[in-house]
DNA sequence: TATGTTATATCTTATATAAGTTATATGTTA
DNA sequence: TAACATATAACTTATATAAGATATAACATA
């Protein structure tokens, strides 16, 4: 029951949000797809168009759906040009937008240590993939990434697949595994460059690097990626906004 | 004119947003105040309650207004407990929330160099105040801040005023000068500690620090503060979220 | 203290119009 | 006839209004 006074009360539009999210989790509509029109959804969920509208409004505000007047409402995708850089916050100090090129270093299968398992909501020792890569701007290496994902969620992932894929990593995850990243939390520190990093990023050992730890989530706030990026911030900055 | 087909067309709710913002700029309602009820505003602006509602919804989403069911809608304030830490993104790694203590180092009047003037939308050489302070967690110094504000906007600011004020700096700006910070942009780098910083933050020279450059804005997107924070991130991280 | 009243924001539905997009039908022209 | 342009229709989201029920909070009153 969901009477207005019951303790588990949720407004209708919030319940619709959950129902839409469940369809996204189930893969009924995949990234890039159009979802049914507001009127269709209103009929399906037996509520008014205005209530569906409010639910979609909130999902659009969370960048999970994208509204396009006259065309319809679409499932947000990292394959779209507009959001290809949504999760990349490193930018040139001079303001010029430049897309980094990626060099894949390795893809290995490993057992999740306790720390990683906790972040990804797995059992310690669960099978994970570890992807290492180097991002370069203008040919200059700037970011060394170590990316960890559960093997169970990304069955069959291998180096060749990534290498042959033209787009971003998150776009790759979407098209090959149907996993859409919708949110991420980052913890940032300043750390001295170790031996491996200083070699890869071509900096002297011990020089300051930005260490960006990220946990990324898919629909239903399920963590599906944990990565550590080491970033050489000469002429580049991590840019963020708050309000 | 603002007919639907005119080039300068803005939807009604957007015009209402601007009118409300103008009242905030004019100081008609100050931080912490309740603004008139939706019905009152609808009467004042000669639109329906729903249109006022949509305008307020957006301003609330931008953290400029705060809605409280049953009580009214209030101008967001840094003096409120809930938002006192809204712009402080440095947090303990163990997740425990701890508020830093501040030690004021100096307040000086200076002439804005070209870089600072550009960020604050001033003429080079305009008079500014420079506030230096040290933030400590558990008595351990972690953040060295250099804060620059236009003297014209903060007339009469002096060291004693800040020293005697109990709350946060942004709360101080609100209560003494009516300036509410509503948005900030930050650029973050990893840099080696210089002589002065290493002394203040009790770290060995050249050790990595987080350098956080911030420009903060008040109503109407007017820049009113530029600061540089140098942060020792041992056992602390800069935390952020994206979607 | 308990109860009721009032004022507020919140939720839901309904209706109408505006505006952007796309496909199709209808011409018009070469 | 074929190719192209234009008008129209049908669909979408966006905007605006109205009205009623509900939740929350503050206050007055018994």
């Amino acid at each position: 029951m969901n009477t207005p006074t019951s303790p588990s009360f949720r407004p209708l539009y919030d319940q619709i949000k959950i129902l839409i999210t469940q369809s996204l989790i189930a893969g009924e509509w995949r990234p890039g797809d159009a979802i049914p029109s507001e009127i269709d959804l209103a009929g399906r969920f037996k509520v008014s168009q205005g209530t569906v509208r409010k639910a979609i409004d909130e999902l659009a505000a969370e960048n999970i759906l994208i509204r396009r007047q006259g065309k319809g409402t679409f499932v947000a995708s990292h394959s779209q040009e507009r959001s290809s850089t949504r999760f990349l916050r490193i930018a040139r100090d001079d303001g010029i937008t430049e897309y980094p090129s990626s060099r894949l270093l390795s893809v290995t299968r490993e057992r999740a240590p306790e720390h990683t398992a906790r972040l990804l909501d797995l059992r310690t020792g669960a099978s994970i993939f570890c992807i290492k890569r180097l991002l370069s701007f203008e040919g200059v290496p700037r970011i060394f990434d170590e990316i960890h994902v559960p093997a169970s969620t990304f069955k069959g992932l291998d180096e060749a697949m990534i290498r042959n894929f033209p787009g971003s990593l998150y776009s790759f995850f979407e098209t090959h595994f149907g996993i859409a990243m919708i949110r991420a939390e980052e913890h940032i520190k300043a750390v001295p460059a170790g031996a491996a990093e200083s070699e890869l990023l071509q900096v002297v050992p011990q020089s300051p690097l930005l260490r960006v730890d990220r946990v990324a989530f898919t629909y239903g706030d399920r963590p599906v990626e944990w990565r550590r990026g080491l970033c050489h911030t000469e002429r580049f900055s991590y840019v963020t906004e708050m309000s």
Side-chain angles (χ1 to χ4, degrees), chain A:
Chain A
M1 288 295 286
N2 189 359
T3 52
T5 38
S6 88
S8 65
F9 172 71
R10 274 176 182 279
L12 260 187
Y13 75 86
D14 215 359
Q15 300 179 43
I16 303 303
K17 263 184 81 173
I18 293 171
L19 291 173
I20 292 174
T21 300
Q22 285 173 351
S23 288
L24 291 170
I25 293 173
E28 182 179 344
W29 314 305
R30 312 227 335 172
D33 286 357
I35 69 171
S37 74
E38 295 179 351
I39 290 173
D40 287 354
L41 289 174
R44 166 167 166 178
F45 298 134
K46 304 271 182 280
V47 297
S48 76
Q49 185 194 358
T51 300
V52 170
R53 201 170 167 69
K54 174 138 185 171
I56 292 177
D57 275 346
E58 295 209 347
L59 290 168
E62 296 168 28
N63 293 313
I64 291 171
L65 299 178
I66 295 176
R67 319 192 71 138
R68 286 201 242 275
Q69 185 177 168
K71 300 189 72 170
T73 300
F74 298 79
V75 183
S77 165
H78 288 275
S79 309
Q80 297 155 252
E81 193 55 42
R82 29 215 304 179
S83 75
S84 66
T85 183
R86 214 175 75 196
F87 284 65
L88 178 67
R89 305 261 273 240
I90 298 289
R92 284 173 59 151
D93 285 336
D94 58 19
I96 297 172
T97 49
E98 184 191 342
Y99 298 99
S101 59
S102 172
R103 181 156 75 87
L104 189 59
L105 301 176
S106 68
V107 178
T108 54
R109 196 176 182 121
E110 302 179 0
R111 304 241 152 249
E114 196 259 337
H115 175 252
T116 306
R118 184 159 28 81
L119 293 175
L120 291 179
D121 203 11
L122 301 170
R123 301 171 319 283
T124 301
S127 185
I128 58 171
F129 289 111
C130 177
I131 302 165
K132 296 186 186 178
R133 69 170 185 186
L134 199 56
L135 295 185
S136 299
F137 290 83
E138 311 176 298
V140 183
R142 291 290 177 185
I143 305 174
F144 169 51
D145 275 326
E146 292 178 288
I147 299 159
H148 306 82
V149 295
S152 54
T153 307
F154 296 87
K155 279 196 185 66
L157 182 150
D158 69 29
E159 191 170 327
M161 290 168 71
I162 300 180
R163 223 173 264 287
N164 293 329
F165 189 83
S168 74
L169 190 61
Y170 282 177
S171 177
F172 169 77
F173 288 160
E174 276 181 10
T175 52
H176 278 72
F177 303 96
I179 299 293
M181 302 296 186
I182 57 168
R183 195 175 72 78
E185 294 171 0
E186 295 195 327
H187 284 66
I188 305 173
K189 279 180 189 289
V191 300
E197 302 95 76
S198 58
E199 175 105 8
L200 285 165
L201 295 171
Q202 299 170 15
V203 296
V204 298
Q206 307 302 312
S207 61
L209 297 179
L210 217 58
R211 195 188 83 185
V212 182
D213 287 354
R214 172 191 296 180
V215 180
F217 301 82
T218 188
Y219 304 125
D221 253 339
R222 184 163 68 96
V224 281
E225 182 205 50
W226 136 247
R227 67 164 71 182
R228 171 163 291 177
L230 289 166
C231 180
H232 178 206
T233 52
E234 196 177 279
R235 300 203 340 268
F236 286 76
S237 293
Y238 183 98
V239 180
T240 182
E241 203 195 312
M242 60 187 69
S243 67

